[in-house]
Amino acid sequence: MSENKSPNVVITVLCGTLTSLVVIGFARLAYGVILPSMRADLGLSYQQAGILSTVTALCYVCFVLAGGLAAARWGARASVLFGMLTVAAGFLGLTVAANYWLVMALMGVLGFGTAFAFAPMVSLLATWFPDKRGLVIGCMTSGVGIGVLLSGVLVPLLLDAFGERGWRVSWGVFAGAALLVAVMIALFVRNPPRVGSSAAGTLPSDEKWRIYRNPRVLIVAGTYGIIGLSYIIQTVFMVSFMVENGHSESVAGRYMAMMGLLSIAAGPLWGWVSDFSGRGNALAMSIALVIVAMGLPLIGQSLPFFFLHFLIMGTSINGLFAMIQTSATEQVAPRYIPIAFSFATLFFAVGQFLGPAIAGWMIETTGGFTLAFGFTLLVLMVGFGLTLLIRRFPHGVAVPEETSAPLQRA
């Protein structure tokens, strides 16, 4: 079989979906469900809890461009495999760590591994399947929903079964999942062909700056950063917001599971729709729904308001992720996708780095969650304005190739 022939789309997308399940759903978002028990067992303040999530995001920020360069130089498959094994090591460490500083280091390991796994896998899918990129990236983002669903169901069960050790057992289960996905990647994922005589990671500096300075790339990247900041605040602190208002952890976990279940279908559906109706229109609609969802808990803190929050988030947030990620791959020629997507992901990572620290400080300072989620709502409104600009983008890439060259095998 020719190395340049497209691989089986189902198996390749499945590996992408499982990658996002582990490195985003488990390594990043499950922390919000584990946090109440973990915080109580380790005696952490909300500010310390926010710092732990911030450390994960900081390591992601520091290494996300390195992950893109690694994928360009050594192939996306090797980068994703390395990142997945690193995340597995971080999970295993958290099963036994008791010292706050060791826990902080291990949370950093999760961010480091994610930097080498997530963006390279998105670039791989976009390069292999350019005509279906909205759908395949949407399917990959469904892994985030599956991760949230599993976390919302599994973690409360483990907490009930193992008591104060349940949060450690949860990290151990995540480690087993990461190792299994690493095996699948090693067996089934192939690198796409490279375009041109040099890999994207070895582009001259002036070509890279053509990407970094392009207004369309910057607008998409800025929107991605806003989405990352807003979503991480929601996932880290919304369950705690519910608990602080007198609702049980089990109910909060079921609502998170509902959100995850809905988002499994939302990513592929929004991505498929956007392939035909236009990315900008679908982006504006989905972020408007997220704004409504984030405003509901500020109006009232009874169960119906939280229920509607998680319901609307589940139907919209993964579609928002799928479309902004797809938009990031569409602004440049195929040769530049690893660099452009890693650059946009850097903004996302900065947002996730800043979000928990800002929200944690606001919660500690005011003694409540209202200011933190009000800030989140305001930031999302800025993001909505940026999506209106994306709707007006002309067809075609913003950064075309300067020279053309024949395909080379990766």
Side-chain angles (χ1 to χ4, degrees):
M1 182 176 66
S2 170
E3 290 290 329
N4 290 337
K5 183 178 179 181
S6 294
N8 183 284
V9 62
V10 174
I11 295 177
T12 305
V13 172
L14 175 62
C15 289
T17 301
L18 293 175
T19 296
S20 65
L21 183 154
V22 171
V23 303
I24 303 296
F26 288 166
R28 296 306 313 279
L29 306 184
Y31 176 64
V33 183
I34 294 175
L35 175 59
S37 177
M38 184 176 175
R39 188 178 72 86
D41 190 34
L42 296 178
L44 306 177
S45 68
Y46 278 116
Q47 190 166 9
Q48 287 176 312
I51 288 172
L52 289 180
S53 183
T54 299
V55 167
T56 307
L58 177 60
C59 288
Y60 193 26
V61 168
C62 292
F63 293 100
V64 66
L65 286 180
L69 293 174
R73 292 176 180 172
W74 298 298
R77 177 178 175 273
S79 179
V80 175
L81 188 58
F82 170 75
M84 189 63 63
L85 292 173
T86 302
V87 167
F91 286 150
L92 286 172
L94 287 168
T95 64
V96 296
N99 179 274
Y100 176 71
W101 298 104
L102 178 57
V103 171
M104 182 184 294
L106 291 167
M107 293 295 287
V109 169
L110 297 183
F112 175 81
T114 300
F116 283 83
F118 182 72
M121 180 59 82
V122 173
S123 298
L124 184 146
L125 292 178
T127 305
W128 269 128
F129 312 108
D131 296 332
K132 304 174 183 176
R133 69 178 69 191
L135 176 60
V136 298
I137 294 176
C139 289
M140 181 173 170
T141 64
S142 70
V144 178
I146 296 172
V148 173
L149 170 64
L150 292 177
S151 301
V153 172
L154 185 61
V155 172
L157 290 176
L158 293 174
L159 291 173
D160 290 340
F162 294 95
E164 64 181 17
R165 293 182 295 126
W167 68 271
R168 296 186 182 276
V169 176
S170 299
W171 291 122
V173 171
F174 297 163
L179 292 172
L180 177 61
V181 175
V183 171
M184 292 184 63
I185 291 168
L187 292 176
F188 300 118
V189 171
R190 288 195 290 116
N191 289 322
R194 288 179 181 160
V195 181
S197 58
S198 62
T202 56
L203 288 173
S205 178
D206 59 340
E207 283 198 71
K208 292 180 184 178
W209 280 104
R210 286 179 61 222
I211 300 169
Y212 300 155
R213 288 195 292 248
N214 184 270
R216 281 167 55 179
V217 173
L218 287 170
I219 289 171
V220 172
T223 307
Y224 198 16
I226 285 172
I227 294 168
L229 182 147
S230 305
Y231 189 42
I232 197 64
I233 292 175
Q234 189 266 354
T235 54
V236 171
F237 293 112
M238 189 58 73
V239 169
S240 297
F241 191 17
M242 285 191 67
V243 173
E244 288 290 317
N245 278 281
H247 307 297
S248 69
E249 291 184 26
S250 61
V251 171
R254 285 196 292 270
Y255 283 6
M256 284 285 287
M258 176 188 68
M259 184 180 83
L261 182 62
L262 291 171
S263 65
I264 292 170
L269 179 61
W270 280 97
W272 177 76
V273 169
S274 71
D275 280 338
F276 296 97
S277 66
R279 219 72 66 194
N281 292 329
L283 262 172
M285 289 174 59
S286 60
I287 199 170
L289 287 172
V290 171
I291 289 171
V292 171
M294 291 300 298
L296 286 169
L298 295 175
I299 297 173
Q301 292 79 50
S302 62
L303 279 179
F305 285 98
F306 283 112
F307 174 80
L308 289 174
H309 164 82
F310 285 106
L311 177 68
I312 297 173
M313 286 291 288
T315 60
S316 57
I317 189 64
N318 261 19
L320 184 58
F321 273 112
M323 288 176 290
I324 198 64
Q325 291 164 4
T326 305
S327 294
T329 69
E330 289 178 326
Q331 306 310 315
V332 298
R335 179 186 179 191
Y336 303 144
I337 286 176
I339 296 298
F341 188 76
S342 294
F343 178 64
T345 305
L346 175 62
F347 283 67
F348 173 81
V350 170
Q352 294 217 315
F353 164 65
L354 295 174
I358 294 172
W361 174 79
M362 288 180 174
I363 293 167
E364 290 289 329
T365 301
T366 63
F369 293 81
T370 301
L371 180 61
F373 285 113
F375 165 75
T376 306
L377 189 64
L378 179 63
V379 170
L380 280 169
M381 289 178 179
V382 176
F384 178 75
L386 293 178
T387 64
L388 297 181
L389 295 178
I390 294 174
R391 288 182 68 242
R392 301 175 63 183
F393 283 175
H395 294 294
V397 298
V399 186
E401 291 186 59
E402 287 194 334
T403 59
S404 59
L407 288 175
Q408 293 189 343
R409 195 173 73 183

